[in-house]
Amino acid sequence: MPREFQRGHKARISDLTAGTDLYVGVQISAPGLTFDISCFGLDADERLSDDRYFVFFNQPKSPEEAIQLLGAQAGDTESFRVTLDRIPPRIHKLAFTATIDGAGQMSQIAPGYLRIVAGGEEVARYAFDGSEFSTERAVMLGDIYLKDVWRFAAVGQGFDGGLDALLKNFGGEVLEEESAPAQAPQQPQSGGAPGFAPPAFGVPSAPPASTPPAPQPAAQGYAPPPAPQGYTPPPAATPPHTPTPSVHAAPTIVAPLSPPPGGTVPPPAPAPAPYGHPGQQPPPYGHQPPAPSAPPPPGYGRPTPPPGYGRPTAPPGYGQPTTPPGYGQPPSGQVPGQGAPYGVPQAAAPQGAGVAAALQKYKETPTGQRWTPQNGKLIRADLGVGGQPVLARQGSMVLYQGKVDFSYKGAGFAGRVVGNATGQEMQLMRCTGQGQVFFAEESTHLHPVELQGDAICVSAENVLAFDESLQYEVRRIEGHGIPGGALFTMQFQGTGTIVVKTHGTPVVLPVTPTTFVDSNAVVAWSAAAQVIVSSQVRMRRNAYPGHTGEGVNLQFRAAPGNFVVVQPYEV
């Protein structure tokens, strides 16, 4: 029986299977809709730093073939082969996504799934349906990511926009669509399914390996990246010897290219009329007129040149020895107030004009994860991922989207007594529902810390929010009393995330036998560390007026691997 996953669930791949050669199948469908299913190979910053690891219908494999698109088989709409031990170290996450090709929304989809098969046996399955989404046109289905070991996470996060918006979100580039008629995209490799893949019932046999696939242009404006090493492009990729180059092989420009500097042009003759002028065809580069006595083309040699060529005696940018034209080189002698000469590539319009462009860098950061920092002082919690409520400090919500309920989280009579006695009382609220909640408080720096069965000690003053699945209790620090009541701390343990807030950027130090921290500056430490109160007050100090203010500190003792977090601020 495969292990059933729900949205937000995670597991180590080694807990599912001992193999590293995986088959990932996706089944998604809706009446009248077509889906593009892709895999993004992301780096440690969750960015598509290498376009060759965007595996989709027009680029069916990564350079070393660690990720391969296999096509529809065994009831799956699309399938992939993933060989974990061949993935390069710079790739830290494989994000499997589905986008709607054309109009439609994810709420229309029928029940589907993402599954993992290893050794011929299905080991994991994440099921989803349209009730989990609304107007989104894309969905991030699941991730295979590296965090000390390879793991699998069922994401199920909707995303506004289609494949182009998803590609931009991961840092990829989308090329403009060509005006040529759309052609069928390149088909994925057939016959590349691993031996353990489910049997391809009803799937036709693979074509002979000797038949090369026909070259196709990039569909929907997605130009495939350069061919990786070891990958031989189709024979037809070499441009044929024809008079006119293919439109797909030429760069997209705003105007025709100007002739090369080495072209032979009669010095006194002005430039030919712009391309497309009635009754005239563009002359080939470097070709002279058929005969000197032949009548010149319309507008050729007139005292008043066409707009944009400037001076009537020697138009700049064409045949002038002092300023030879070049691609992207601004024309010399351009008349003020006029545009650049027709036929000379113009510089791209400056980006950043308008309110939308000015606010672009402040846009929301969608990742599909439960906790997503928007910046250093604002964090978003997605209540739909994981299905667990969030406990947060009262009044820390600054924005929410969706159907979210906020209720008071009481500590009970005993909890209030303990909180008042120890100084570790937390006034909390409970956030439930389906939506996203943004948290912040007094512009402090926020740091999400994910716990996976381990524990951490944090002062209640430095806790902003945490998953309700975490267990927490008040823990006493051994030693004599500390001024200000900081004799206790909170210990969090379990599986989930806690958001710690600090004043300024903190520093994390390893615990050594001689680690002493000011009790008013310490933020958190590993639960395995032993903490005692250390006093440096000496009796003879009382003989002098004043003191250093550093009389009481916390001393940490622990085995190697433990840590302490200190902020540049004293409470």
Side-chain angles (χ1 to χ4, degrees):
M1 290 292 294
R3 179 173 173 179
E4 297 289 341
F5 281 72
Q6 297 181 358
R7 184 163 61 174
H9 286 186
K10 305 175 183 179
R12 295 180 176 90
I13 296 293
S14 58
D15 294 340
L16 304 175
T17 176
T20 59
D21 214 354
L22 308 179
Y23 171 95
V24 179
V26 176
Q27 203 285 327
I28 185 170
S29 61
L33 297 184
T34 304
F35 295 88
D36 295 327
I37 302 174
S38 312
C39 176
F40 293 84
L42 309 178
D43 57 19
D45 298 327
E46 298 191 357
R47 307 291 290 176
L48 185 67
S49 56
D50 191 340
D51 290 342
R52 298 177 300 170
Y53 289 89
F54 174 34
V55 178
F56 67 122
F57 56 86
N58 210 36
Q59 183 170 254
K61 63 180 179 179
S62 60
E64 68 293 312
E65 300 186 0
I67 313 165
Q68 301 180 39
L69 187 69
L70 304 179
Q73 57 179 299
D76 298 332
T77 309
E78 190 61 89
S79 60
F80 300 83
R81 179 181 183 179
V82 177
T83 310
L84 297 179
D85 51 8
R86 297 177 63 181
I87 297 177
R90 65 180 180 277
I91 301 300
H92 286 244
K93 176 185 287 190
L94 305 181
F96 296 91
T97 66
T99 57
I100 298 177
D101 183 10
Q105 55 189 25
M106 285 297 174
S107 59
Q108 302 174 246
I109 65 175
Y113 59 80
L114 181 148
R115 62 172 179 162
I116 298 178
V117 178
E121 178 183 359
E122 183 175 338
V123 297
R125 175 182 287 250
Y126 162 53
F128 54 86
D129 56 51
S131 63
E132 303 178 24
F133 313 105
S134 57
T135 59
E136 300 94 336
R137 296 184 58 243
V139 59
M140 292 178 275
L141 298 172
D143 295 337
I144 295 179
Y145 63 101
L146 181 63
K147 186 176 181 182
D148 62 60
V149 295
W150 285 103
R151 305 167 185 260
F152 170 70
V155 179
Q157 174 65 39
F159 190 89
D160 293 332
L163 185 59
D164 54 349
L166 197 62
L167 183 61
K168 292 179 181 178
N169 174 69
F170 288 129
E173 296 183 358
V174 181
L175 301 183
E176 296 180 359
E177 293 189 4
E178 302 286 355
S179 59
Q183 302 183 17
Q186 180 180 350
Q187 297 297 326
Q189 288 186 334
S190 57
F196 55 80
F201 298 106
V203 179
S205 59
S210 60
T211 304
Q216 300 292 343
Q220 301 181 356
Y222 305 99
Q229 297 180 357
Y231 175 76
T232 304
T238 304
H241 297 284
T242 56
T244 304
S246 172
V247 67
H248 298 288
T252 303
I253 56 176
V254 297
L257 292 173
S258 41
T264 304
V265 181
Y275 295 163
H277 191 82
Q280 180 183 357
Q281 296 296 328
Y285 293 156
H287 283 214
Q288 299 185 8
S293 60
Y300 193 90
R302 291 185 178 181
T304 304
Y309 281 92
R311 304 172 183 174
T313 56
Y318 191 90
Q320 288 288 344
T322 56
T323 55
Y327 184 77
Q329 190 176 14
S332 174
Q334 180 176 328
V335 178
Q338 286 187 336
Y342 189 85
V344 177
Q346 303 180 17
Q351 301 295 329
V355 176
L359 300 179
Q360 182 72 19
K361 61 182 179 180
Y362 302 113
K363 288 183 61 178
E364 179 185 359
T365 305
T367 63
Q369 304 296 329
R370 179 167 173 84
W371 294 91
T372 305
Q374 302 299 302
N375 52 55
K377 302 179 181 180
L378 183 67
I379 193 168
R380 186 193 72 185
D382 193 334
L383 301 180
V385 178
Q388 290 286 338
V390 168
L391 300 180
R393 186 178 295 272
Q394 294 179 9
S396 60
M397 184 276 295
V398 297
L399 166 70
Y400 75 91
Q401 298 172 322
K403 298 180 180 180
V404 180
D405 295 326
F406 300 91
S407 59
Y408 172 75
K409 173 64 176 178
F413 177 77
R416 289 196 300 270
V417 171
V418 173
N420 292 330
T422 61
Q424 298 296 313
E425 182 180 10
M426 295 187 295
Q427 300 292 335
L428 300 175
M429 61 180 179
R430 192 169 185 261
C431 310
T432 58
Q434 293 288 330
Q436 298 84 34
V437 185
F438 294 75
F439 298 103
E441 187 175 67
E442 297 180 351
S443 194
T444 53
H445 293 248
L446 304 182
H447 315 276
V449 180
E450 182 179 359
L451 302 180
Q452 295 188 349
D454 44 355
I456 187 174
C457 294
V458 186
S459 175
E461 178 64 25
N462 297 101
V463 176
L464 179 70
F466 56 93
D467 290 324
E468 192 179 42
S469 58
L470 292 177
Q471 302 175 359
Y472 59 97
E473 61 180 355
V474 179
R475 178 179 173 182
R476 182 177 182 272
I477 299 176
E478 300 295 335
H480 301 287
I482 304 175
L487 182 63
F488 300 87
T489 187
M490 299 294 298
Q491 176 174 307
F492 292 82
Q493 186 174 7
T495 302
T497 299
I498 176 175
V499 181
V500 180
K501 62 187 184 79
T502 63
H503 294 272
T505 303
V507 60
V508 180
L509 298 174
V511 174
T512 66
T514 57
T515 300
F516 296 84
V517 181
D518 191 308
S519 60
N520 294 320
V522 66
V523 175
W525 61 87
S526 48
Q530 179 186 7
V531 187
I532 61 175
V533 179
S534 173
S535 176
Q536 295 184 357
V537 178
R538 296 177 174 85
M539 294 300 296
R540 66 175 182 273
R541 186 176 68 88
N542 297 332
Y544 303 95
H547 58 85
T548 64
E550 307 294 344
V552 179
N553 298 313
L554 298 180
Q555 181 181 5
F556 291 84
R557 298 174 181 174
N562 290 272
F563 62 89
V564 59
V565 183
V566 183
Q567 65 183 356
Y569 180 87
E570 294 192 6
V571 180

